Amino acid sequence: MKEKIKVGYIGLGRRGTGMLRCLCQMKDVEVKYICDINEKKVEFMLNDIKEKGYNQKPKGMTDYKEVIAKKDIDAVFIMTGWNSRIKLAIESMKAGKYTAIEVGCAFDISECYELVKTYEETKVPVMMLENCCYGRDEMMALRMVKEGLFGEIVHCNGAYHHYLNPCEFFRDTGNDLFDKGHYRLEEYLNRNLENYPTHELGPISKILNINRGNRMLTLTSFSGKSRGIETYMKDHVSPDHPLAGKSFKQGDIVTTIITCAGGEQIHLTLDTTLPRAFYSREFTVRGTKGMCEESGKDMCTFFLDGMKENDPEEFNNRTKFYEKYDHPLHEEYARMQAKGGHGGIDWLVLRAFVESVKDGVEPPIDVYDTATWLAIGPLSEMSIANGSVAVNVPDFTNGRWFRRDNPNTGKYSLDVITSVPEVPIDPQ
Amino acid sequence: MKEKIKVGYIGLGRRGTGMLRCLCQMKDVEVKYICDINEKKVEFMLNDIKEKGYNQKPKGMTDYKEVIAKKDIDAVFIMTGWNSRIKLAIESMKAGKYTAIEVGCAFDISECYELVKTYEETKVPVMMLENCCYGRDEMMALRMVKEGLFGEIVHCNGAYHHYLNPCEFFRDTGNDLFDKGHYRLEEYLNRNLENYPTHELGPISKILNINRGNRMLTLTSFSGKSRGIETYMKDHVSPDHPLAGKSFKQGDIVTTIITCAGGEQIHLTLDTTLPRAFYSREFTVRGTKGMCEESGKDMCTFFLDGMKENDPEEFNNRTKFYEKYDHPLHEEYARMQAKGGHGGIDWLVLRAFVESVKDGVEPPIDVYDTATWLAIGPLSEMSIANGSVAVNVPDFTNGRWFRRDNPNTGKYSLDVITSVPEVPIDPQ
């Protein structure tokens, strides 16, 4: 058990810097090294930490290998682009460091096997920082499912309805450091797949006990036309723009159906390149005795057998349910909201990792979860490339999924209901 | 051109009687015969017409063959259960009567071919009375798509989220005539398929110009577990109930993906046996420049490229859009609402058929539309039975779909924008 942990932090893009600011506020974390291939980003962040008055004095570096090799750190955060996360995570695990990686997907399924093999050889834990697992509604649903209130779970939905087109790919706010050449652009030009499944699939996997009593069996993905970005370019940018007239491979809307060993079906939608009114993750859990359904603009409805149907009073009734079924980890939700991004969930997922490192236990999202979620991308790519045939989802546990009945009992467990531990925030 | 048409009406169940009451109020319709295999229902409805003061004096019958054989009628309505509609429609067409059938699905694909063959041999029109094609939001979206406001259409969603379990299958309100032994029960016991696709697929087909420039190519259906009804029986009825312990074949949630020749994808959900908070058809149209999306409890959001995203003011903004883009056929919407069921759409779809008969033209939903929509049921059954493989959607037009550029121009056309004709309501 460690009182305080020392960490290295690699990748200072838009997401990386946001999460780093969260981390810097934790009394029990010492940020020893921050690293980016772009020296200007390192300088920017060193200044930012000073200016914001965080009680941290990291050393700046540009070579991730040096960070990973350091003897005086317990853990490494890999917050680099999609194209390097798994490789760096494997190197970090081999160097004996607890490893956290930002959400994403693999290019090839072999990377996922390699990640699992590295864990099984080194026993060094890795955790995908899937913040949506700690969403308030997602955790309330998780609790209600564990308490049997929804009955037997039959179906789950999730989606990434997030119009990225103009804001992510072409934004130029004059801040060259973060705005230009978003790394996702190359992905959209060259690949066609469910490229961002984990925000939905993370919480759903936990609800369905994936890798602990259940597993995903098959995956089938359907991609429609790719027209959104091209139309946007035609309408909004000049013909001499470097992307004008380019052909994008990524389908505008990709639908994925995953079947599970328990007979449940998971339904995912990727929807990022057509104009739409509002962001939504469509988080939906359907059971024989109850449901929850996110719909509309950040509205969430809970329903239990016996309640009155089609009652306008019950639409978007989450607040009423918080009173009774809020997850204990959200007791201090308001305080966390102020400290972390995305309504507190960034803070919570970072705490989940930090507490696991401190206690020397497996993180609540372990290597098997991480590998399974990373695999969805390449599996959907394979399915689409073959005309939307079903492909098999690997069993990364190698048959242990139905024997792994030892739930993770860490402080931020997603397997058992835990109460919020004391949250150590550095006073400023 | 007829001033007034004479009709026979077969099938007096819950739906049949509701639609008949609409029809009875039309000045230009003479209801000559009403028919049901159950004599009590005929008597009930003859009394009902008298009591309500409708200006109609139909003759009651119990043998549909007699109705179809009558020389003094122009058209026949087939409002019987799922298991007899197509057979009766074919007989009616062979007898030379314009034929209307209630929504539903075929048992076998051969029935759909037979329907088309009958039309091509007799040239007698048949129309599925898909009322949702005349929904206000659906028609506004249709108009906006035809006017190019949504850009190129990429994706459409529809669903039948309607919890039928306790209310449809087991309801016993003491009115034996309509409540017991709902015909859908046998379907749910014995089959597993997308059994109710047309409410969503009808409007979507019209938006995507199916059978007139576009067609459906493949269909893939996924069915999860069947647990909803069995759990309901266990929890709510006594063990000696005739359905207690019975095993139901119908999956609780069935997802269907249809790919189209134009590259569009259509996504359907059947969701009728798990408890849920509210009814929804999830009507969604996504284009390169705009969208509409029904979500939550009867809320519909329209969005055009250039509008502000994530603006709470724009959630459920249909009313604002009615001012500018309401379909002309809905000018008299308020008046129709009072006369027909389901917010006026029953009235509108009946008018569409009646006007076609009066003018001697093809109805806006023709035999090819009807056959295609009826085919979805057995196609999804085939797909599920084969482990969710893609099956081919027949081309009932036999290659004419890309040459059928002559849109239906009837008074209630769904191909061109028409204004509402005078609505002849009988004063009471």
Side-chain angles (χ1 to χ4, degrees):
Chain A
M1 301 271 268
K2 291 184 162 74
E3 283 283 304
K4 188 161 188 167
I5 63 164
K6 293 169 186 171
V7 307
Y9 196 100
I10 302 166
L12 301 174
R14 201 188 295 273
R15 177 73 181 147
T17 51
M19 289 291 265
L20 179 54
R21 288 188 190 104
C22 273
L23 204 62
C24 282
Q25 297 172 67
M26 296 179 186
K27 270 203 294 195
D28 51 359
V29 175
E30 185 181 346
V31 181
K32 294 281 286 180
Y33 309 100
I34 67 172
C35 172
D36 196 283
I37 198 168
N38 182 341
E39 201 174 347
K40 283 184 186 170
K41 290 193 181 184
V42 179
E43 277 165 33
F44 171 85
M45 208 51 211
L46 287 171
N47 274 329
D48 189 75
I49 288 169
K50 218 176 283 175
E51 274 173 28
K52 292 213 162 54
Y54 298 136
N55 193 16
Q56 301 283 358
K57 288 196 186 68
K59 190 178 166 194
M61 309 179 96
T62 54
D63 183 355
Y64 78 88
K65 281 190 184 291
E66 283 186 37
V67 178
I68 285 171
K70 287 287 176 189
K71 298 278 182 233
D72 59 350
I73 51 175
D74 308 295
V76 172
F77 289 81
I78 313 286
M79 312 298 279
T80 58
W82 288 359
N83 54 348
S84 57
R85 278 175 203 163
I86 304 177
K87 174 178 144 51
L88 267 60
I90 289 170
E91 290 188 40
S92 165
M93 291 161 77
K94 284 188 175 162
K97 312 296 191 297
Y98 260 80
T99 303
I101 64 168
E102 191 33 64
V103 305
C105 58
F107 288 100
D108 192 272
I109 211 77
S110 65
E111 292 184 282
C112 306
Y113 281 114
E114 195 64 27
L115 195 73
V116 170
K117 191 177 137 219
T118 305
Y119 169 77
E120 292 181 349
E121 284 172 5
T122 63
K123 296 292 170 199
V124 174
V126 62
M127 171 177 172
M128 185 190 279
L129 297 176
E130 182 38 80
N131 54 1
C132 294
C133 285
Y134 290 91
R136 191 170 188 182
D137 293 333
E138 285 87 343
M139 291 205 87
M140 180 155 75
L142 179 74
R143 173 186 169 173
M144 292 175 78
V145 168
K146 297 242 175 249
E147 292 179 359
L149 291 160
F150 286 2
E152 181 177 347
I153 305 304
V154 173
H155 186 94
C156 294
N157 270 5
Y160 189 60
H161 296 294
H162 186 187
Y163 184 36
L164 297 176
N165 190 356
C167 67
E168 289 291 321
F169 295 127
F170 321 115
R171 179 160 56 180
D172 183 358
T173 61
N175 181 351
D176 266 4
L177 208 49
F178 294 109
D179 286 339
K180 281 197 177 159
H182 196 286
Y183 66 89
R184 287 195 207 180
L185 180 64
E186 293 263 305
E187 302 279 334
Y188 278 73
L189 273 166
N190 293 295
R191 303 174 75 193
N192 188 11
L193 68 158
E194 167 51 89
N195 66 28
Y196 212 70
T198 68
H199 279 348
E200 317 96 71
L201 194 58
I204 290 170
S205 292
K206 289 301 179 179
I207 281 168
L208 295 180
N209 301 312
I210 298 299
N211 295 326
R212 291 184 186 277
N214 198 358
R215 85 171 189 94
M216 304 182 198
L217 285 177
T218 70
L219 177 151
T220 316
S221 279
F222 299 83
S223 166
K225 295 187 274 196
S226 172
R227 293 287 190 276
I229 304 181
E230 291 171 36
T231 304
Y232 181 86
M233 300 308 298
K234 217 179 279 175
D235 291 355
H236 295 283
V237 304
S238 72
D240 56 351
H241 188 284
L243 290 174
K246 285 254 188 192
S247 169
F248 284 76
K249 292 283 187 305
Q250 179 62 52
D252 291 322
I253 295 190
V254 173
T255 305
T256 299
I257 317 279
I258 297 170
T259 64
C260 299
E264 305 87 351
Q265 295 201 340
I266 305 170
H267 186 274
L268 305 175
T269 307
L270 176 78
D271 166 19
T272 55
T273 51
L274 294 175
R276 63 172 285 115
F278 43 80
Y279 175 93
S280 164
R281 292 202 302 274
E282 208 182 292
F283 176 67
T284 304
V285 181
R286 302 294 303 278
T288 53
K289 301 189 181 186
M291 61 153 247
C292 78
E293 186 175 303
E294 190 208 323
S295 59
K297 184 169 162 34
D298 189 31
M299 288 153 173
C300 198
T301 301
F302 287 76
F303 186 81
L304 297 175
D305 189 21
M307 281 171 59
K308 199 177 147 209
E309 289 154 50
N310 292 310
D311 180 356
E313 295 280 305
E314 297 294 354
F315 177 66
N316 192 25
N317 58 6
R318 52 148 81 94
T319 315
K320 196 175 86 177
F321 277 77
Y322 288 153
E323 289 168 26
K324 218 164 165 182
Y325 302 113
D326 207 5
H327 193 286
L329 273 177
H330 276 269
E331 275 172 26
E332 301 217 3
Y333 191 80
R335 188 146 76 108
M336 292 161 194
Q337 266 184 308
K339 294 290 165 188
H342 296 110
I345 60 178
D346 289 348
W347 182 274
L348 287 172
V349 76
L350 284 171
R351 289 308 309 166
F353 178 71
V354 167
E355 292 284 353
S356 303
V357 181
K358 283 172 74 179
D359 292 350
V361 298
E362 276 295 327
I365 297 165
D366 68 7
V367 67
Y368 301 107
D369 300 325
T370 301
T372 306
W373 302 352
L374 286 167
I376 301 305
L379 291 171
S380 75
E381 197 170 23
M382 284 153 62
S383 174
I384 290 168
N386 282 286
S388 299
V389 292
V391 297
N392 297 312
V393 181
D395 172 13
F396 293 109
T397 71
N398 211 14
R400 278 176 311 230
W401 61 269
F402 53 89
R403 289 182 294 245
R404 291 181 85 224
D405 52 1
N406 50 327
N408 171 287
T409 52
K411 289 191 185 120
Y412 285 79
S413 173
L414 292 160
D415 299 311
V416 296
I417 311 293
T418 55
S419 292
V420 67
E422 196 200 346
V423 181
I425 300 171
D426 227 343
Q428 287 162 53
Chain B
M1 302 272 267
K2 291 184 161 75
E3 285 282 305
K4 188 161 187 167
I5 63 165
K6 293 169 185 172
V7 307
Y9 196 100
I10 301 166
L12 301 174
R14 202 187 296 273
R15 176 74 182 148
T17 51
M19 289 291 265
L20 179 54
R21 289 187 191 104
C22 272
L23 204 62
C24 282
Q25 297 172 67
M26 296 179 187
K27 270 204 293 197
D28 50 0
V29 175
E30 185 182 346
V31 181
K32 293 281 287 180
Y33 309 100
I34 65 172
C35 172
D36 196 283
I37 199 168
N38 181 341
E39 201 172 348
K40 284 183 185 169
K41 290 192 183 186
V42 179
E43 277 165 33
F44 171 86
M45 206 51 212
L46 287 172
N47 272 330
D48 189 75
I49 288 168
K50 216 176 283 174
E51 273 174 28
K52 292 213 163 54
Y54 297 135
N55 194 15
Q56 302 283 359
K57 288 197 185 68
K59 189 179 166 193
M61 309 181 97
T62 53
D63 184 355
Y64 78 88
K65 282 190 182 290
E66 284 186 38
V67 178
I68 285 171
K70 287 288 175 188
K71 300 277 184 234
D72 58 351
I73 51 175
D74 308 295
V76 171
F77 289 81
I78 313 286
M79 312 298 279
T80 58
W82 288 0
N83 55 348
S84 57
R85 280 176 202 162
I86 303 176
K87 174 178 143 55
L88 268 61
I90 289 170
E91 290 188 42
S92 165
M93 289 160 77
K94 284 186 175 164
K97 312 296 191 297
Y98 260 80
T99 303
I101 64 168
E102 190 36 63
V103 304
C105 58
F107 288 99
D108 192 272
I109 210 77
S110 64
E111 292 183 282
C112 306
Y113 282 114
E114 195 64 27
L115 194 73
V116 170
K117 192 177 136 216
T118 305
Y119 168 77
E120 291 180 350
E121 283 172 6
T122 64
K123 295 293 170 198
V124 175
V126 62
M127 172 177 172
M128 185 190 280
L129 297 177
E130 183 37 80
N131 55 1
C132 294
C133 286
Y134 290 91
R136 190 171 188 182
D137 293 333
E138 286 87 343
M139 292 204 86
M140 180 155 74
L142 179 75
R143 172 185 170 176
M144 292 175 79
V145 168
K146 298 241 175 250
E147 292 179 359
L149 291 161
F150 286 1
E152 181 176 348
I153 305 304
V154 173
H155 185 94
C156 294
N157 271 5
Y160 189 60
H161 295 295
H162 187 185
Y163 184 35
L164 298 175
N165 190 355
C167 66
E168 289 289 322
F169 295 126
F170 320 115
R171 180 160 56 181
D172 183 359
T173 62
N175 182 352
D176 267 4
L177 207 49
F178 294 109
D179 285 340
K180 281 195 179 161
H182 195 286
Y183 66 88
R184 286 195 206 180
L185 181 63
E186 293 264 305
E187 302 278 335
Y188 278 72
L189 272 167
N190 293 295
R191 302 175 76 193
N192 188 11
L193 68 158
E194 167 50 91
N195 67 28
Y196 212 70
T198 68
H199 279 347
E200 315 97 71
L201 194 59
I204 290 170
S205 292
K206 288 302 178 179
I207 280 168
L208 294 180
N209 300 311
I210 298 298
N211 295 326
R212 292 183 186 277
N214 198 358
R215 86 171 188 94
M216 302 182 199
L217 285 177
T218 69
L219 177 151
T220 316
S221 279
F222 298 83
S223 166
K225 296 186 274 197
S226 172
R227 293 285 190 277
I229 304 181
E230 291 171 37
T231 304
Y232 181 86
M233 301 307 297
K234 217 179 279 175
D235 291 354
H236 295 284
V237 304
S238 72
D240 57 349
H241 188 285
L243 290 173
K246 285 254 188 193
S247 168
F248 284 76
K249 293 283 187 306
Q250 178 63 51
D252 291 322
I253 295 190
V254 173
T255 306
T256 300
I257 317 276
I258 297 169
T259 64
C260 300
E264 305 88 351
Q265 296 201 339
I266 305 170
H267 186 274
L268 305 176
T269 306
L270 176 78
D271 166 20
T272 55
T273 51
L274 294 175
R276 62 172 287 114
F278 42 79
Y279 175 93
S280 165
R281 292 202 301 274
E282 208 182 291
F283 176 66
T284 303
V285 182
R286 301 295 303 278
T288 53
K289 300 188 182 187
M291 61 154 250
C292 78
E293 185 176 304
E294 190 208 322
S295 59
K297 182 167 164 37
D298 189 32
M299 286 152 174
C300 199
T301 301
F302 288 76
F303 186 81
L304 298 175
D305 188 20
M307 281 171 59
K308 198 177 147 212
E309 289 153 49
N310 292 309
D311 180 355
E313 295 280 305
E314 297 294 354
F315 177 66
N316 192 26
N317 58 6
R318 53 149 80 93
T319 315
K320 196 175 85 177
F321 276 77
Y322 289 152
E323 287 168 27
K324 218 164 164 181
Y325 302 113
D326 208 4
H327 193 286
L329 272 177
H330 276 270
E331 274 171 27
E332 300 219 2
Y333 192 80
R335 187 147 75 109
M336 291 160 195
Q337 267 184 308
K339 294 290 166 188
H342 296 110
I345 61 178
D346 289 348
W347 181 273
L348 287 172
V349 76
L350 285 170
R351 288 308 308 165
F353 178 72
V354 167
E355 292 284 353
S356 303
V357 181
K358 283 171 73 179
D359 292 351
V361 298
E362 276 294 327
I365 297 165
D366 67 8
V367 67
Y368 301 106
D369 300 325
T370 301
T372 306
W373 303 350
L374 287 167
I376 301 305
L379 291 171
S380 74
E381 197 170 23
M382 284 154 61
S383 174
I384 291 168
N386 282 285
S388 300
V389 294
V391 297
N392 297 311
V393 181
D395 173 13
F396 293 108
T397 71
N398 211 12
R400 278 175 311 227
W401 61 269
F402 53 88
R403 289 181 294 246
R404 290 181 84 223
D405 53 0
N406 50 326
N408 171 288
T409 53
K411 288 190 185 122
Y412 285 79
S413 173
L414 292 162
D415 299 312
V416 296
I417 311 292
T418 55
S419 292
V420 67
E422 197 202 345
V423 181
I425 301 171
D426 228 344
Q428 287 164 54

